[in-house]
Amino acid sequence: MPPLHDIDTIVFDILGTLVDDTGALRTALAGVASDAGQTDDLAALWDRHVSTEQRRVNAGERAYAPGAVIDREAAQAVADAAGLTDPA
């Protein structure tokens, strides 16, 4: 192991490890869903969209898009599926 003074960067994933992003998403969706089943369906839709688009970027099938862009697309897909029309 190198001495600590030789380490200048540490990188790790925090989503799902330190931040419960799925739980926060489900809590937010519960506020617009008609029932727990719809909350689960909308959360699954969000996760599917993000996973699919990240795979497409990695495979070179889609130009790079930052996570915020893919999340915005997922939010729009969820809003459409929930029948939400208010931009807020």
Side-chain angles (χ1 to χ4, degrees), residues 36-50:
Q38 187 184 28
T39 298
D40 292 342
D41 292 345
L42 294 174
L45 173 61
W46 182 294
D47 289 338
R48 259 192 327 276
H49 179 82
V50 170

Side-chain angles (χ1 to χ4, degrees), residues 3-57:
L4 292 180
H5 65 337
D6 289 343
I7 299 172
D8 61 358
T9 304
I10 297 175
V11 178
F12 59 96
D13 176 21
I14 62 167
L15 294 178
T17 305
L18 298 176
V19 175
D20 182 12
D21 57 326
T22 303
L25 176 62
R26 286 182 184 284
T27 298
L29 291 174
V32 298
S34 59
D35 58 39
Q38 187 184 28
T39 298
D40 292 342
D41 292 345
L42 294 174
L45 173 61
W46 182 294
D47 289 338
R48 259 192 327 276
H49 179 82
V50 170
S51 294
T52 298
E53 294 310 305
Q54 287 175 341
R55 272 195 298 277
R56 289 184 62 224
V57 168

